[in-house]
Each structure stands twice: as C-alpha cells, then as structure tokens.
Amino acid sequence: MQHIKLGELEVSRIGLGAMGMSHGYTGAGTDDAESIRTIHRALELGVTLIDTAEIYGPYANEELVGRALQGRRDQAVLATKFGLVSHAGAGAWNLDSSPANIRTAVEGSLKRLGTDHIDLYYQHRVDPNTPIEETAGAVAELVAEGKVRFFGLSEAGPDTIRRAHGVHPVAAVQSEYSLWTRGLEERVLPVLRELGIGLVPFSPLGHGFLTGAVRDESQFEEGDFRRGNPRFTGENFRRNLTLADEVQAIAAEVGATPAQVALAWLLAQGEDIAPIPGTRRVARVEENTAAADIDLTPGVLDRLSSLPPAAGETHPEGARQMLER
C-alpha cells in the first residue's frame, strides 16, 4: 500500500472508517467479531489510518477499535474526534470544543482506545461558542504533553482552517467528498493546498449509494441515518439511482467494481487525499483497498468528473447547520 503525507503525518493511501461498525447504519453493532476481523484484515493489507470518534455509539466504536488494536497498536495511525459530546452535562450531540471539554474528552478516548496517545485528533464539528483559537491552543497543549501527535478539523470552512492553522499546524481536514459530494472543491480544497494540509474524505462511496448496492429505501432499518437523509428519499432517491447506474456502467467497462472506481477517482484528485471508506466486512475492505492499484485513464476520469451532481442535500437541516463547507 502506498503512503502519503497529511501535513507531516504519514498514512496509507486508503484508510478505514470504523463508524458503521457501531453506529449509524443498518446492522451496526450486530457483529463485533466480524468488525474486529475487518480491522485486522485492513492492517494486513497495509492500511494504517483507522478512524473513529467518541460520538459513535456514543463511545462504543472507540471501545471496539481499542479491542481490535490490542497488540497491534504500532501498526495503526489512530484518528478520533472530540466536540460532539458535551461532558459538562449537556451530553451527546451538543457542540462543545472548550478547552475543559477537550481535556475530559481526550482522557476518555485514550482509555477506551487502550493507548497513551492519539495520532490524529480532530475537532468533529466547529463550535460557534468557542473561538477556534482556544480549541487549537488546547490541542496544542495535548501535543506538547505527548497525548496527541497531530491536530485535525472536520467539516470546517476556509476561515476556521486558516485561524486554527495559525495557532497550531492542522495536519488534515476531514470532510465528505466523493463523486456525488464535491462542494469543497471550490472553497476548501484550494486553502488546504495553499497551507499544506491533507484531505481525508469520509463517505467516499456516498454512504453506500455509489456501490450500486442501494436500490430501495426499504433497505434501511430504524436507526439508519439514511432513512431521513434527503438524498435517500423520494424523488431524490430515484434520480440518484441514475448516477449510481452510470458509475456501475463505467466500472463494468474498466473491469472493476463501482466502489473501486469511485475510490480510484478520488485518489486521482491529488496525492494529498486519503479517503476512509467504511465497512464492517472483510470482503469489502479487501475490495476497497484494491482500488489503490487501479489507474483510470484520463478519458474515464473526465467521464466520471462530468457526472451530474447528486440530487438533494447531504444532511437534514439540523445536521447541515453544523457544516461550514
């Protein structure tokens, strides 16, 4: 597996998003043993970047990743996130990136992950009630103490990125980016490249839509966030099936799977991009990591880049208000 740099942090070209093993998707939390096998297989295939967050569960996903990395910690570049759990009493899904909350959050994450340091510590969402300079300063203190190696942001806009980077170097920004979510190309990506910050695309397969496996809204169980996602409902869903079919047709032409084509397109967008496709299945992690060896021709890349944008917003209104991209 090829490695790249996110700022000064070296990671595998393709990482692994662990969220869906415990949170957010149909079947999450139903087979921890298979999820742990998937993490182990990813490491065997050369994947180093393993991504989780305290809010996933909450807490259950960090605990799962911690169990999976017992005896294997030195093989992983471990990333987790703070800021969507307020430990002062408001609880989960409440923005809080105050220095005191970060202190509490990092100790909990270290314990659940079974480690003495976090390689990449992201602010999960920008907290409008805490100046980003204070948040960056708090993480800088954790870096100085050896509890954190690198600082990251998630779904932050250009101004926030610049201000945070001015206090402490930002190694990576994690945002949704894929063939059907390309909004950061205009505003965010140029800033990252100006400042030498890497990009970690989450949901690079469009929450599964770009794989071609999602064909009916009834596939989603209660608790699957896609049930209320604008892109997965009504007329938007039917229009987006056409986009998935186009990716599938191109995949058939090049002798790859739709997931591999979607990931190969992302990798072709720059050597500073490390997507983290999520899965809880060994077979899927094998399929996804193989995308690193696929070279799409300029003609195929142009066809993929010319596909129409997905219909519908990426999040419901409440969640969308937390995004700066």
Side-chain angles (χ1 to χ4, degrees), residues 155-169:
E155 295 289 24
D159 181 60
T160 298
I161 295 167
R162 289 185 186 279
R163 288 165 54 202
H165 193 68
V167 175
H168 185 82

Side-chain angles (χ1 to χ4, degrees), residues 82 95 97 122-137 139 151-175 187-188 191-192 194-195 197 321-325:
F82 64 88
L95 293 170
S97 286
Y122 292 102
Q123 180 192 44
H124 207 151
R125 293 290 185 270
V126 177
D127 177 8
N129 298 314
T130 304
I132 192 62
E133 290 83 359
E134 291 185 16
T135 298
V139 176
F151 176 37
L153 301 171
S154 181
E155 295 289 24
D159 181 60
T160 298
I161 295 167
R162 289 185 186 279
R163 288 165 54 202
H165 193 68
V167 175
H168 185 82
V170 176
V173 169
Q174 183 176 135
S175 287
R187 297 177 64 246
V188 175
V191 172
L192 300 186
E194 174 193 337
L195 299 176
I197 299 170
Q321 291 177 354
M322 296 184 183
L323 310 179
E324 284 194 351
R325 63 172 135 94

Side-chain angles (χ1 to χ4, degrees), residues 4-11 49 77 119-120 149-150 171-172:
I4 64 164
K5 289 285 192 72
L6 302 173
E8 296 300 316
L9 176 63
E10 183 175 313
V11 299
L49 182 58
V77 176
D119 295 301
L120 180 55
R149 291 181 61 220
F150 291 91

